[in-house]
Amino acid sequence: MATATAQNLSFVLEGIHQVKFEDRPIPELKNAHDVIINVKYTGICGSDVHYWEHGSIGSFVVKDPMVLGHESAGVISKVGSAVTSLKVGDRVAMEPGIACRRCEPCKGGKYNLCENMEFAATPPYDGTLAKYYVLPEDFCYKLPEHLSLQEGALMEPLSVAVHIVRQAQVSPGQSVVVFGAGPVGLLCCAVATAFGASKVIAVDIQKPRLDFAKDYAVTSTFMPSKAPATENAERLKRENDLGGGADVAIDASGAEPSVHTGIHVLRNGGTYVQGGMGRSEMNFPIMAACSKELNIKGSFRYGSGDYKLAVQLVSTGKVDVKRLITGTVKFEEAEQAFKEVKAGKGIKTLIAGIDA
């Protein structure tokens, strides 16, 4: 693999466990409002690993070779003639989903639900694990001088967490229980704390994750037993002095027992947000949800203002994303990094880009 002579070296998924490095043409500016970015760092997300492992996520199936990656930051290398907010050399966090701006969800202010979304590394659209990538200027967020490009790459999972916590309408003084202490769950804890929650409790079945969470952005942690969800919920309430229940429960795991425990741990009138993707269908404690008159919401990616707020939270020191970065590997070691993430090593692994 000759990285020095490659124009636009890309990490391409061809099929299950089949990846290759391919030199593709440098992308062109087809819209006057677009920019070309030299991608510097890309985080490995669970969805990337899932495509590599299974070749599909739900109805999204990899039928043709696809560049992986969507958690990225980089440096502007070229700007379109109508670009006014960015210039060559600017360091930016990259929002990897381009909405059509014309459908009803887009016009209604919910562009994350766009009917024609072109999202990086979601078939059939290529991702950001390439030397160069094109985005509209308003989907690039300039990083303050004191923030690193590595931190910039974590704005994507942080924006997911911001959207989840905003969906929950977390406010000062509330108690929040977060199920799943992976990257998004940990960031949900951090954002809930930044929003003023007085109690933030992380729930997971892996002790190392809980140990990290305890030292990161929570007031306490909880490890469920193999007991029924109602019993775990009662113990969770009792051990954390939650009285009639928590104000907010967020599931960032997608695991059915977590969903059940989340519903049961809430107080009457509490709010439940589903952020984790699990099986397409599962059992649900509908009686508890109805009798408590819970507010139940889904959460999908990120929408208006989420990326901007994510950058502000890190810039002002309210959320620390640096501590989630386990390590950085060279672009040429991308496949090995995927294997290590699949094996559950570390929290967030970054793949370094190729310099222009």
PDB file of all heavy atoms in Angstrom, residues 165-180:
ATOM      1  N   VAL A 165     -30.098  13.548  25.485  1.00  0.00           N
ATOM      2  CA  VAL A 165     -30.369  14.266  26.738  1.00  0.00           C
ATOM      3  C   VAL A 165     -31.336  15.426  26.499  1.00  0.00           C
ATOM      4  O   VAL A 165     -32.173  15.741  27.356  1.00  0.00           O
ATOM      5  CB  VAL A 165     -29.049  14.733  27.384  1.00  0.00           C
ATOM      6  CG1 VAL A 165     -29.313  15.554  28.646  1.00  0.00           C
ATOM      7  CG2 VAL A 165     -28.179  13.522  27.734  1.00  0.00           C
ATOM      8  N   ARG A 166     -31.256  16.029  25.328  1.00  0.00           N
ATOM      9  CA  ARG A 166     -32.233  17.075  24.995  1.00  0.00           C
ATOM     10  C   ARG A 166     -33.621  16.469  24.793  1.00  0.00           C
ATOM     11  O   ARG A 166     -34.641  17.083  25.149  1.00  0.00           O
ATOM     12  CB  ARG A 166     -31.792  17.832  23.739  1.00  0.00           C
ATOM     13  CG  ARG A 166     -30.600  18.754  23.983  1.00  0.00           C
ATOM     14  CD  ARG A 166     -30.119  19.425  22.701  1.00  0.00           C
ATOM     15  NE  ARG A 166     -30.907  20.597  22.371  1.00  0.00           N
ATOM     16  CZ  ARG A 166     -30.660  21.374  21.316  1.00  0.00           C
ATOM     17  NH1 ARG A 166     -29.657  21.100  20.503  1.00  0.00           N
ATOM     18  NH2 ARG A 166     -31.408  22.427  21.074  1.00  0.00           N
ATOM     19  N   GLN A 167     -33.676  15.272  24.193  1.00  0.00           N
ATOM     20  CA  GLN A 167     -34.961  14.583  24.054  1.00  0.00           C
ATOM     21  C   GLN A 167     -35.583  14.321  25.424  1.00  0.00           C
ATOM     22  O   GLN A 167     -36.795  14.388  25.599  1.00  0.00           O
ATOM     23  CB  GLN A 167     -34.767  13.246  23.317  1.00  0.00           C
ATOM     24  CG  GLN A 167     -34.563  13.358  21.821  1.00  0.00           C
ATOM     25  CD  GLN A 167     -35.828  13.736  21.082  1.00  0.00           C
ATOM     26  OE1 GLN A 167     -36.142  14.923  20.927  1.00  0.00           O
ATOM     27  NE2 GLN A 167     -36.572  12.746  20.625  1.00  0.00           N
ATOM     28  N   ALA A 168     -34.721  14.023  26.403  1.00  0.00           N
ATOM     29  CA  ALA A 168     -35.197  13.757  27.771  1.00  0.00           C
ATOM     30  C   ALA A 168     -35.546  15.033  28.525  1.00  0.00           C
ATOM     31  O   ALA A 168     -36.138  14.965  29.600  1.00  0.00           O
ATOM     32  CB  ALA A 168     -34.126  12.990  28.543  1.00  0.00           C
ATOM     33  N   GLN A 169     -35.167  16.179  27.975  1.00  0.00           N
ATOM     34  CA  GLN A 169     -35.409  17.484  28.613  1.00  0.00           C
ATOM     35  C   GLN A 169     -34.879  17.510  30.049  1.00  0.00           C
ATOM     36  O   GLN A 169     -35.553  17.977  30.969  1.00  0.00           O
ATOM     37  CB  GLN A 169     -36.896  17.843  28.568  1.00  0.00           C
ATOM     38  CG  GLN A 169     -37.419  18.010  27.147  1.00  0.00           C
ATOM     39  CD  GLN A 169     -38.877  18.415  27.094  1.00  0.00           C
ATOM     40  OE1 GLN A 169     -39.720  17.822  27.781  1.00  0.00           O
ATOM     41  NE2 GLN A 169     -39.196  19.404  26.279  1.00  0.00           N
ATOM     42  N   VAL A 170     -33.656  16.986  30.210  1.00  0.00           N
ATOM     43  CA  VAL A 170     -33.026  16.970  31.534  1.00  0.00           C
ATOM     44  C   VAL A 170     -32.833  18.398  32.023  1.00  0.00           C
ATOM     45  O   VAL A 170     -32.359  19.267  31.281  1.00  0.00           O
ATOM     46  CB  VAL A 170     -31.672  16.228  31.483  1.00  0.00           C
ATOM     47  CG1 VAL A 170     -30.913  16.393  32.791  1.00  0.00           C
ATOM     48  CG2 VAL A 170     -31.893  14.751  31.173  1.00  0.00           C
ATOM     49  N   SER A 171     -33.200  18.632  33.270  1.00  0.00           N
ATOM     50  CA  SER A 171     -33.089  19.973  33.849  1.00  0.00           C
ATOM     51  C   SER A 171     -32.424  19.912  35.218  1.00  0.00           C
ATOM     52  O   SER A 171     -32.316  18.839  35.815  1.00  0.00           O
ATOM     53  CB  SER A 171     -34.471  20.627  33.946  1.00  0.00           C
ATOM     54  OG  SER A 171     -35.340  19.829  34.732  1.00  0.00           O
ATOM     55  N   PRO A 172     -31.947  21.047  35.731  1.00  0.00           N
ATOM     56  CA  PRO A 172     -31.232  21.069  37.017  1.00  0.00           C
ATOM     57  C   PRO A 172     -32.011  20.408  38.137  1.00  0.00           C
ATOM     58  O   PRO A 172     -33.230  20.596  38.265  1.00  0.00           O
ATOM     59  CB  PRO A 172     -31.033  22.561  37.274  1.00  0.00           C
ATOM     60  CG  PRO A 172     -30.964  23.173  35.914  1.00  0.00           C
ATOM     61  CD  PRO A 172     -31.944  22.386  35.096  1.00  0.00           C
ATOM     62  N   GLY A 173     -31.290  19.610  38.936  1.00  0.00           N
ATOM     63  CA  GLY A 173     -31.879  18.973  40.102  1.00  0.00           C
ATOM     64  C   GLY A 173     -32.494  17.617  39.852  1.00  0.00           C
ATOM     65  O   GLY A 173     -32.891  16.932  40.796  1.00  0.00           O
ATOM     66  N   GLN A 174     -32.565  17.200  38.606  1.00  0.00           N
ATOM     67  CA  GLN A 174     -33.209  15.925  38.307  1.00  0.00           C
ATOM     68  C   GLN A 174     -32.286  14.731  38.554  1.00  0.00           C
ATOM     69  O   GLN A 174     -31.065  14.869  38.615  1.00  0.00           O
ATOM     70  CB  GLN A 174     -33.689  15.899  36.852  1.00  0.00           C
ATOM     71  CG  GLN A 174     -34.934  16.738  36.601  1.00  0.00           C
ATOM     72  CD  GLN A 174     -35.526  16.455  35.234  1.00  0.00           C
ATOM     73  OE1 GLN A 174     -34.818  16.364  34.236  1.00  0.00           O
ATOM     74  NE2 GLN A 174     -36.844  16.308  35.180  1.00  0.00           N
ATOM     75  N   SER A 175     -32.915  13.560  38.688  1.00  0.00           N
ATOM     76  CA  SER A 175     -32.164  12.302  38.796  1.00  0.00           C
ATOM     77  C   SER A 175     -32.266  11.585  37.458  1.00  0.00           C
ATOM     78  O   SER A 175     -33.345  11.458  36.883  1.00  0.00           O
ATOM     79  CB  SER A 175     -32.738  11.428  39.916  1.00  0.00           C
ATOM     80  OG  SER A 175     -34.136  11.231  39.746  1.00  0.00           O
ATOM     81  N   VAL A 176     -31.110  11.127  36.971  1.00  0.00           N
ATOM     82  CA  VAL A 176     -31.037  10.510  35.643  1.00  0.00           C
ATOM     83  C   VAL A 176     -30.322   9.163  35.756  1.00  0.00           C
ATOM     84  O   VAL A 176     -29.229   9.084  36.321  1.00  0.00           O
ATOM     85  CB  VAL A 176     -30.274  11.415  34.653  1.00  0.00           C
ATOM     86  CG1 VAL A 176     -30.195  10.754  33.276  1.00  0.00           C
ATOM     87  CG2 VAL A 176     -30.934  12.791  34.552  1.00  0.00           C
ATOM     88  N   VAL A 177     -30.935   8.113  35.214  1.00  0.00           N
ATOM     89  CA  VAL A 177     -30.313   6.789  35.173  1.00  0.00           C
ATOM     90  C   VAL A 177     -29.984   6.476  33.714  1.00  0.00           C
ATOM     91  O   VAL A 177     -30.861   6.555  32.848  1.00  0.00           O
ATOM     92  CB  VAL A 177     -31.238   5.698  35.745  1.00  0.00           C
ATOM     93  CG1 VAL A 177     -30.533   4.350  35.730  1.00  0.00           C
ATOM     94  CG2 VAL A 177     -31.663   6.048  37.169  1.00  0.00           C
ATOM     95  N   VAL A 178     -28.717   6.139  33.448  1.00  0.00           N
ATOM     96  CA  VAL A 178     -28.273   5.843  32.083  1.00  0.00           C
ATOM     97  C   VAL A 178     -27.852   4.376  32.006  1.00  0.00           C
ATOM     98  O   VAL A 178     -26.960   3.939  32.739  1.00  0.00           O
ATOM     99  CB  VAL A 178     -27.098   6.755  31.657  1.00  0.00           C
ATOM    100  CG1 VAL A 178     -26.622   6.379  30.254  1.00  0.00           C
ATOM    101  CG2 VAL A 178     -27.511   8.220  31.708  1.00  0.00           C
ATOM    102  N   PHE A 179     -28.500   3.629  31.127  1.00  0.00           N
ATOM    103  CA  PHE A 179     -28.195   2.210  30.943  1.00  0.00           C
ATOM    104  C   PHE A 179     -27.217   2.051  29.787  1.00  0.00           C
ATOM    105  O   PHE A 179     -27.487   2.479  28.666  1.00  0.00           O
ATOM    106  CB  PHE A 179     -29.486   1.425  30.669  1.00  0.00           C
ATOM    107  CG  PHE A 179     -30.420   1.391  31.846  1.00  0.00           C
ATOM    108  CD1 PHE A 179     -31.296   2.442  32.086  1.00  0.00           C
ATOM    109  CD2 PHE A 179     -30.400   0.322  32.730  1.00  0.00           C
ATOM    110  CE1 PHE A 179     -32.145   2.428  33.181  1.00  0.00           C
ATOM    111  CE2 PHE A 179     -31.244   0.298  33.831  1.00  0.00           C
ATOM    112  CZ  PHE A 179     -32.121   1.352  34.064  1.00  0.00           C
ATOM    113  N   GLY A 180     -26.072   1.424  30.082  1.00  0.00           N
ATOM    114  CA  GLY A 180     -25.028   1.251  29.083  1.00  0.00           C
ATOM    115  C   GLY A 180     -23.923   2.269  29.288  1.00  0.00           C
ATOM    116  O   GLY A 180     -24.152   3.468  29.145  1.00  0.00           O
TER     117      GLY A 180
END
